[in-house]
Amino acid sequence: MPGVLDLVGIFVFAVSGALAAVQKRLDVVGMVVLAEITALGGGILRDLVIGAVPPVAFTSVSYVVVPLLASALVFFWHPHFTRIMPAVMLFDAAGLGLFCVTGAIKALDYHLSPLHAVLLGVITAVGGGILRDMMSGQIPSVLYDRQLYALPALVGATVATALWQQPQLHGVFVSAGSALLAFGLRVAAMRWNWRTPRARGVGD
C-alpha cells in the first residue's frame, strides 16, 4: 500500500507539472520534462542528501513510467484536467502529506538528526514544485506561501519525526496520521484561504 500511495502522489505531481507546461505553451518534450521533475525532484534530492544512491527514481521503472502516463493524459485531455483542478488539488494535497512524512522517516532511517529529518521531509514534499517553477520561469510558489503549502509539510514532517522517536509508536498509523494532518491543514488553507503573514507594513 505505501508503494501504491507513493505512485499516486507521483502521478498527481506529474499532472501538475504537465499542466504548468501547457500553461507556458511548451511542447511535448517540455511537458514530459516538467512532469518528471515535479514528480521525482523532491525524492531525488532526498536520496542524494542521505546517500541512498542511486535514487529510487533510477532503480524503479514505474517511477519513470507513471509521469510519462500523466504527461500523455494531459497532452490529449488537458482541458478536462483543467476543469477538475479542484479534485487534482485534493490529490496534490494528499501527495504533499504523504511525501513529507515518507521523506522524514527515510531520513531517520539513515540516522539523520530529528531536525534534519524534518527539513528533508519538507524538501521531499516541495522540492519538485520548486524545480518546476524555476524551470518554467516563475518564482517558486513556496517562497510566497500564501495558501499554506510548505507549512503543512513542515507540520506533518515534524509530527511524524516526533512520534517516530518513540519505538512503540512506529508503524503505519503514525505515518498515516501525520500525513492526514498535513493533508487536512493544506485543504483547510485552500478552503478558507488561510495565509502566512508578510513582513510588518507590507500589504497585499
Side-chain angles (χ1 to χ4, degrees):
M1 182 59 68
V4 172
L5 293 177
D6 207 21
L7 291 176
V8 170
I10 287 172
F11 176 82
V12 174
F13 283 158
V15 167
S16 71
L19 286 173
V22 171
Q23 293 171 354
K24 292 293 184 178
R25 304 180 64 84
L26 302 182
D27 62 14
V28 64
V29 175
M31 182 180 297
V32 170
V33 169
L34 281 189
E36 295 280 356
I37 287 294
T38 306
L40 305 177
I44 291 174
L45 290 173
R46 174 202 64 209
D47 289 349
L48 291 176
V49 167
I50 63 179
V53 292
V56 66
F58 293 95
T59 60
S60 172
V61 174
S62 58
Y63 274 58
V64 178
V65 172
V66 168
L68 288 175
L69 174 61
S71 300
L73 292 175
V74 172
F75 182 83
F76 289 105
W77 294 292
H78 61 86
H80 301 286
F81 278 96
T82 302
R83 283 198 294 270
I84 63 171
M85 273 308 293
V88 172
M89 292 303 293
L90 283 178
F91 282 108
D92 181 79
L96 179 81
L98 173 69
F99 286 171
C100 73
V101 171
T102 57
I105 291 174
K106 189 167 184 177
L108 290 174
D109 288 341
Y110 276 76
H111 308 295
L112 269 67
S113 72
L115 174 60
H116 292 102
V118 170
L119 292 176
L120 205 54
V122 175
I123 289 172
T124 304
V126 306
I130 292 175
L131 294 173
R132 175 201 61 211
D133 292 344
M134 293 176 62
M135 293 184 68
S136 60
Q138 60 188 35
I139 299 175
S141 57
V142 71
L143 297 183
Y144 51 99
D145 199 15
R146 302 297 283 158
Q147 279 196 329
L148 303 191
Y149 199 80
L151 186 59
L154 177 63
V155 171
T158 300
V159 171
T161 299
L163 294 178
W164 211 256
Q165 301 303 302
Q166 311 302 319
Q168 68 274 19
L169 294 179
H170 284 197
V172 67
F173 292 108
V174 169
S175 302
S178 302
L180 186 62
L181 175 62
F183 169 78
L185 184 56
R186 170 62 178 153
V187 171
M190 292 189 294
R191 173 63 179 82
W192 288 292
N193 201 32
W194 292 349
R195 298 185 171 192
T196 51
R198 287 179 172 168
R200 182 178 180 182
V202 177
D204 291 330

